[in-house]
Amino acid sequence: MAGKSTGKIIFDLSLLKRVFQYAKPYKTKFILSVVMAILLAIVSPIRPWLIQITINEHVHEGVTGTQAVKMKVEQMIILITVIQIGMLLLETAFRFYFSYLTAWLGQTVVKDLRVNVYRKILGLNLSQFDTTPIGTLTTRTINDIEAINDIFSDGLIPIIADLLSIIAVLVFMFAVDWRLTLISLASFPILIAATYFFKESVNKSFIRVRNAVAHLNAFVQEHITGMAIVQAFAAENKEFSKFKSINKEHRNANINAIFAYSVFFPVVEIVLAVGTGLMVWWAATHALKLPEEEGRVLIGKMFSFFLCLNLLFRPLRVIADKFNVLQMGMVASERVFKVLDNEDVIKTEGSHAPQMVKGRIAFDNVSFAYVDDRYVLKNLSFEVQPGDTVAIVGHTGSGKTSIISLLNRLYHIQHGTIKIDDVKIEEYKLDALRKSIGVVLQDVFLFSGSVLDNITLRNPAISKEQVVAAAKMIDMHDFIMQLPGGYDYNVMERGGSLSLGQRQLLSFIRALLYNPSILILDEATSSVDTESELLIQKAIDKLIAGRTSIVIAHRLSTIRKASKIIVLDKGEIKEMGTHDELIAHQGFYYKLHQMQFEKHIPA
C-alpha cells in the first residue's frame, strides 16, 4: 500500500498549478465556477442590507404613521420580503450550480488523471514492478487520484468562494458601522486560535487514518490471498490478533478526528454567541443614549449584523476542514505525479516491424543486472538458428528466466547486444517483437472470466472458431469441453477453480494462438501432473516443428531432443552441446543429470 506519511503537509503552489493544468481543457466550466464564487460573495450581504432598510426606513414609519402610510409600508415590507425570498432562491441556485461545477471539474480531472496514470503504469519497465508493491500502484491509481477530486469539490475553489463571501460580509459590516463591527468581532481571535489548533489536530488525525486504512487494506488483501497457508499452519488466532490490533489503530485515529470536530464546532458556536451578545449589548446601551432617529438606525444595524455574523461564521466553521482536505489532496497529487514522472519506461521508438520473423537469435556479450552492478547474466554469447530447439538448463537462480525476459524486452540490458534476424531488438516495434514470440511461463496468471476470454485476452479480432482450431491442433479441445460450460467456463480470480496443470494448458493455447515464429517454454511442465505433462509433451512435438524454440526446464528428461543445450551457472555459460555430447564430456551437465537420475541408474 501507500507509504506511511508522517511529515507535515506543505502547500506547494507549483504542485497545485500542475493539478489545475488538467482542468485547462475545461476552462469554460472552471471560469464559470470562479464567476459563481464571485456572485455568491456579492449576494451574501444583500439580505442583511434589506433587513436593515426594512427596520430603519419602514417599520418605525408603519408604527407611527397614518392608516394610509401603514398600508403603504405594509406593501413595501411585503415587496422587500418577496425580494428576499427571490434573493434566497437565487443564492441557492448559484450555490447548487457552483457545487455541481466544482464536483464536475473534480471528477473529470480524476477521470483524465486515472487514464494517464494507468497508461503510464502499462508502459513502465518490469523492473518497476519488481521493486514497487502492487498495492502502492493500486493506491496511486484509485485512492490517491480520488483524493485529488477534493481539491476541486472541497478544496481551493470552495475555499476561495468562502473567503470572498467573508470579505464581502466584512466590507458591508465596516461600511455600515465600523465600531459595531469591531465589537461584534471582539471574540474573533479566539476563533482564529481554535481554527489553527483544529486544523493541526485534524491534519495529524487524517494522516493516521490514511496510514491505518493502508495497513488494513494491505493486511486483508495479503491474508485473504494467502488464506490456505494461514489455515494450513493453524495460524488463524495469531493473524486475527494482528488484524484486531491494526483495526484498533484505525478506530483510534478516527476517534481523534471526531474528538477534534466535537470540540471545534461548539467553540465556534460559543464564539458566535459571544460576538452576538457583545453586539446586542453595545447596540442596546448606545441606542438609549442616542436621539430617537439615530437609536432606531442603530437597532436596524444590529438586526442586520445578527444575520451578517451567521453568514460570517458559517464558512468559518468548515474552512479549516477544507484546508485539510486541500492539503491531503496535495499529498495525493504529489504521489500521483511521482508515478507520472517516472522515466523508467519501455522505450518503443524502434521502427522495424516485419510481418513475420525467421527466428534467428543471437546474444553477443550480454550482461544484465536487475539492481545496480549485481549481474545475473555475465558476457553471455550464443546463437539459435531458425527452426532449432535450444534448451537452457541450470540451477535455480542461474539466469535462465532472465534470458527470455531480455528477449521480450521486458528489461533493458546494460552491456552487449541481442539480435533477432540480425536486427537489434531495440530497433523493433515493441508490439511487432512480442507478437513474434510466444511464451508459456512457469507461474501462470489467469484473469477472472471465461476460458475463452483468458485464451484470447478479450481480443475481438480472435474468433472462437480460431481458438477451437488451435486447441484441436494440439489435442486440448476435449480437455476444455470436459469443463462445465466448455469455453464459457469461468476460471474465477487467478484461475482458482482450475488445477495448476489445467492453468498451464490454457496458457499454452494462449501463447500459441498467435502462431509465433519463436516459442519459449519456461518450466512449461514443472507444475503439471503426469497425464497433463504427457499431453503437453505431445503438443510440443507438433508445435516446435518449423519454429525456433527455447526450452527452459529443471527436468532434464524434457530437453533430450534439443538440437543444442546451454548449461548456465551463476549467469555464465558453462557448457554447450547436444545431450549425448554433454553426457560424454562428463562435465557440469553430466553432474546435473546424475543428480536427477542416479536413483534410477542400475547398479
Side-chain angles (χ1 to χ4, degrees):
M1 299 302 291
K4 188 174 181 178
S5 302
T6 55
K8 189 175 181 179
I9 299 171
I10 299 174
F11 194 80
D12 190 338
L13 285 176
S14 62
L15 194 63
L16 190 63
K17 182 179 178 181
R18 188 172 178 186
V19 171
F20 275 86
Q21 285 293 320
Y22 281 86
K24 198 172 182 180
Y26 316 104
K27 61 181 179 181
T28 302
K29 284 189 168 57
F30 179 77
I31 293 170
L32 274 174
S33 67
V34 175
V35 170
M36 286 293 106
I38 296 171
L39 288 175
L40 283 168
I42 292 172
V43 300
S44 293
I46 292 178
R47 285 190 294 126
W49 175 68
L50 290 172
I51 287 175
Q52 182 179 325
I53 291 176
T54 303
I55 294 173
N56 289 348
E57 299 183 12
H58 301 295
V59 171
H60 178 73
E61 198 177 322
V63 172
T64 60
T66 63
Q67 188 64 31
V69 172
K70 288 181 179 181
M71 289 182 63
K72 185 178 179 181
V73 169
E74 184 179 351
Q75 291 175 355
M76 186 58 66
I77 290 175
I78 292 173
L79 177 62
I80 292 175
T81 303
V82 171
I83 292 173
Q84 286 205 64
I85 293 172
M87 292 303 302
L88 184 61
L89 292 174
L90 184 64
E91 184 180 351
T92 302
F94 284 169
R95 201 167 295 281
F96 163 77
Y97 192 48
F98 174 75
S99 298
Y100 173 78
L101 281 175
T102 53
W104 186 92
L105 272 171
Q107 289 298 329
T108 306
V109 168
V110 161
K111 174 185 71 74
D112 294 346
L113 257 176
R114 190 167 281 139
V115 168
N116 287 351
V117 169
Y118 191 67
R119 183 189 294 119
K120 185 74 175 188
I121 290 173
L122 287 175
L124 290 175
N125 272 319
L126 204 60
S127 57
Q128 289 295 308
F129 303 96
D130 295 336
T131 57
T132 306
I134 293 174
T136 297
L137 292 176
T138 303
T139 301
R140 300 292 178 268
T141 310
I142 300 174
N143 302 70
D144 286 336
I145 291 181
E146 194 61 41
I148 293 175
N149 168 62
D150 295 334
I151 293 178
F152 294 88
S153 61
D154 289 311
L156 186 65
I157 304 176
I159 287 173
I160 292 173
D162 288 341
L163 289 175
L164 288 175
S165 294
I166 291 170
I167 292 170
V169 172
L170 286 174
V171 168
F172 170 76
M173 291 172 70
F174 275 103
V176 170
D177 192 322
W178 65 270
R179 293 175 301 173
L180 190 58
T181 302
L182 291 177
I183 292 297
S184 302
L185 300 179
S187 59
F188 201 68
I190 300 173
L191 181 62
I192 293 175
T195 301
Y196 173 78
F197 286 114
F198 168 75
K199 182 179 76 69
E200 292 299 307
S201 177
V202 171
N203 188 9
K204 293 175 182 177
S205 296
F206 276 178
I207 292 173
R208 281 187 63 192
V209 169
R210 193 175 187 87
N211 288 330
V213 169
H215 291 155
L216 273 175
N217 287 340
F219 186 89
V220 172
Q221 178 184 355
E222 183 179 51
H223 283 73
I224 288 178
T225 304
M227 188 56 67
I229 301 298
V230 173
Q231 294 182 353
F233 287 88
E236 294 94 335
N237 292 335
K238 183 177 68 175
E239 299 305 320
F240 184 59
S241 296
K242 291 180 183 177
F243 173 80
K244 287 196 294 184
S245 176
I246 298 172
N247 193 42
K248 185 178 179 181
E249 167 60 18
H250 178 260
R251 183 206 63 177
N252 292 342
N254 275 292
I255 287 176
N256 285 345
I258 294 168
F259 178 78
Y261 281 97
S262 301
V263 172
F264 178 70
F265 289 128
V267 168
V268 174
E269 295 298 329
I270 292 170
V271 172
L272 174 59
V274 171
T276 304
L278 288 171
M279 177 198 68
V280 172
W281 167 77
W282 190 88
T285 55
H286 278 70
L288 295 174
K289 301 175 184 178
L290 295 173
E292 183 181 351
E293 182 68 24
E294 292 182 22
R296 189 177 70 250
V297 170
L298 186 57
I299 296 301
K301 292 177 182 178
M302 182 185 71
F303 276 99
S304 69
F305 270 43
F306 178 77
L307 186 55
C308 282
L309 285 176
N310 280 280
L311 290 174
L312 194 63
F313 279 76
R314 184 180 64 186
L316 285 172
R317 288 187 186 97
V318 295
I319 199 165
D321 198 22
K322 287 181 179 179
F323 266 113
N324 281 324
V325 169
L326 174 61
Q327 288 179 316
M328 295 307 293
M330 297 284 285
V331 170
S333 64
E334 184 179 19
R335 292 169 176 170
V336 170
F337 288 137
K338 280 183 180 178
V339 177
L340 290 173
D341 293 339
N342 193 331
E343 295 301 323
D344 189 13
V345 295
I346 301 168
K347 297 179 176 62
T348 58
E349 65 271 11
S351 59
H352 190 59
Q355 289 294 322
M356 183 172 288
V357 300
K358 295 178 181 178
R360 184 177 185 273
I361 301 170
F363 277 60
D364 184 15
N365 290 318
V366 172
S367 295
F368 169 70
Y370 291 100
V371 181
D372 300 329
D373 57 350
R374 303 174 189 172
Y375 288 98
V376 294
L377 296 178
K378 306 165 188 174
N379 299 319
L380 226 62
S381 296
F382 65 88
E383 291 186 4
V384 183
Q385 298 302 322
D388 278 0
T389 298
V390 172
I392 302 176
V393 300
H395 293 299
T396 300
S398 59
K400 304 186 298 297
T401 301
S402 297
I403 290 175
I404 63 171
S405 296
L406 297 180
L407 192 61
N408 269 300
R409 279 187 62 196
L410 297 177
Y411 298 91
H412 296 304
I413 58 176
Q414 281 82 7
H415 303 288
T417 58
I418 302 174
K419 295 181 180 180
I420 295 179
D421 293 352
D422 300 320
V423 177
K424 292 181 179 179
I425 58 172
E426 291 81 8
E427 296 178 13
Y428 279 85
K429 278 190 174 182
L430 201 59
D431 57 346
L433 174 69
R434 292 178 178 172
K435 283 179 181 178
S436 300
I437 303 173
V439 181
V440 178
L441 297 173
Q442 177 183 7
D443 185 16
V444 179
F445 188 95
L446 296 181
F447 298 92
S448 178
S450 68
V451 169
L452 184 65
D453 287 342
N454 272 280
I455 293 175
T456 64
L457 294 179
R458 293 185 173 89
N459 185 347
I462 301 175
S463 66
K464 184 176 180 179
E465 289 72 22
Q466 290 175 289
V467 176
V468 172
K472 286 182 177 179
M473 184 179 69
I474 54 176
D475 297 329
M476 293 186 186
H477 174 69
D478 292 338
F479 148 70
I480 295 174
M481 294 307 296
Q482 290 173 3
L483 298 171
Y487 288 89
D488 295 322
Y489 176 67
N490 192 335
V491 303
M492 306 300 289
E493 186 178 0
R494 299 183 65 89
S497 61
L498 298 177
S499 68
L500 292 174
Q502 290 170 331
R503 278 179 259 167
Q504 196 80 64
L505 292 169
L506 289 187
S507 70
F508 205 75
I509 303 173
R510 181 167 67 187
L512 297 167
L513 184 64
Y514 293 91
N515 191 29
S517 300
I518 299 172
L519 178 65
I520 297 175
L521 306 177
D522 182 8
E523 306 288 354
T525 60
S526 64
S527 300
V528 299
D529 53 42
T530 304
E531 183 180 355
S532 298
E533 181 179 356
L534 292 173
L535 184 61
I536 288 180
Q537 288 290 0
K538 184 179 178 182
I540 288 174
D541 291 340
K542 293 182 180 179
L543 289 165
I544 63 175
R547 287 188 176 87
T548 303
S549 303
I550 297 178
V551 181
I552 297 174
H554 284 298
R555 299 184 186 181
L556 304 184
S557 58
T558 63
I559 56 175
R560 290 189 179 187
K561 298 178 182 178
S563 52
K564 183 191 295 183
I565 298 173
I566 298 172
V567 184
L568 286 181
D569 182 49
K570 297 179 182 178
E572 297 178 310
I573 295 178
K574 291 297 183 181
E575 294 175 332
M576 198 182 305
T578 64
H579 171 77
D580 292 337
E581 290 171 349
L582 294 176
I583 289 293
H585 182 61
Q586 293 193 358
F588 202 88
Y589 178 80
Y590 176 80
K591 292 178 181 178
L592 288 175
H593 190 273
Q594 290 294 100
M595 288 172 63
Q596 285 197 22
F597 294 100
E598 62 182 358
K599 293 183 180 179
H600 304 286
I601 298 175

